[in-house]
């Protein structure tokens, strides 16, 4: 395996984020489905520099709660 910058990969997938003027992204966790050349599927993730395990768990738990809220529209939802 070779480490690669995630920015160009996310750009290629058309991934965007909805930010207001002056918003600052302080940290990030990216979870990705990876399809290997032989067709096997795996899960990969990357973290922004300096993200502690406490922050990692907090981001993951918060994201799961947001995804589970079906009655509240999330930023960027078209529906």
């Amino acid at each position: 395996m070779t480490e690669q910058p995630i920015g160009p990969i996310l750009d290629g997938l058309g991934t965007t984020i909805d930010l207001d003027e002056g918003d600052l992204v302080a940290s990030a966790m990216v979870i990705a489905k990876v399809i290997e050349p032989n067709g096997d599927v795996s899960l990969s993730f990357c973290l922004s520099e300096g993200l502690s395990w406490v922050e990692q768990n907090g981001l993951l738990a918060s994201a799961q709660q947001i995804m589970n809220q079906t009655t509240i529209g999330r930023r960027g939802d078209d529906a």
Side-chain angles (χ1 to χ4, degrees), residues 1-68:
M1 275 194 184
T2 304
E3 286 192 17
Q4 300 177 37
I6 193 71
I9 295 168
L10 293 175
D11 291 344
L13 292 171
T15 306
T16 61
I17 187 171
D18 186 17
L19 298 173
D20 289 329
E21 183 73 29
D23 287 351
L24 171 68
V25 176
S27 55
M29 173 185 283
V30 176
I31 302 170
K33 173 186 171 184
V34 177
I35 302 174
E36 299 171 15
N38 65 2
D40 287 348
V41 176
S42 63
L43 188 67
S44 183
F45 71 97
C46 63
L47 308 168
S48 56
E49 215 172 289
L51 197 60
S52 73
W53 68 269
V54 172
E55 294 167 313
Q56 291 173 37
N57 282 308
L59 282 173
L60 189 57
S62 296
Q64 185 64 60
Q65 287 178 348
I66 290 168
M67 295 302 295
N68 289 339

